[in-house]
Amino acid sequence: LNDKVLAAAVSVCLVVGSIATGLALKTLGVVFKIIGGTVGAVLIFMFPGRMLTSKAESKCSKDYLIGLILEIFGVTLLVC
């Protein structure tokens, strides 16, 4: 996929997900908690972890292992 197409698709998914969550829930505070927690975990842990694992020289390198730990921690935060 093209980078511009991928960026547009991610943006559309985030906006549609936010609108759907806002329409489904009555309390605005709950909406902010769900959206903030999800986007925060993805931006702070999962994206940097994915970048480290994709650019690591080998699967035994320090960068790969740190990236994998960040990804697993980000997924754990999303599930909990």
Side-chain angles (χ1 to χ4, degrees), residues 39-49 70:
V39 173
V42 169
L43 288 178
I44 293 171
F45 297 109
M46 295 178 70
F47 280 164
L70 281 174

Side-chain angles (χ1 to χ4, degrees):
L1 279 173
N2 188 337
D3 285 340
K4 290 182 180 181
V5 173
L6 184 61
V10 169
S11 298
V12 167
C13 288
L14 286 173
V15 170
V16 169
S18 299
I19 291 172
T21 305
L23 292 174
L25 299 173
K26 302 273 185 213
T27 308
L28 191 58
V30 174
V31 174
F32 285 149
K33 288 178 187 177
I34 292 171
I35 294 169
T38 303
V39 173
V42 169
L43 288 178
I44 293 171
F45 297 109
M46 295 178 70
F47 280 164
R50 177 59 63 186
M51 286 189 280
L52 281 172
T53 55
S54 67
K55 297 300 179 187
E57 295 171 2
S58 71
K59 290 189 177 185
C60 296
S61 69
K62 183 175 121 179
D63 289 339
Y64 184 83
L65 294 176
I66 291 173
L68 189 61
I69 290 170
L70 281 174
E71 288 181 44
I72 291 170
F73 187 70
V75 170
T76 304
L77 283 178
L78 282 176
V79 171
C80 295

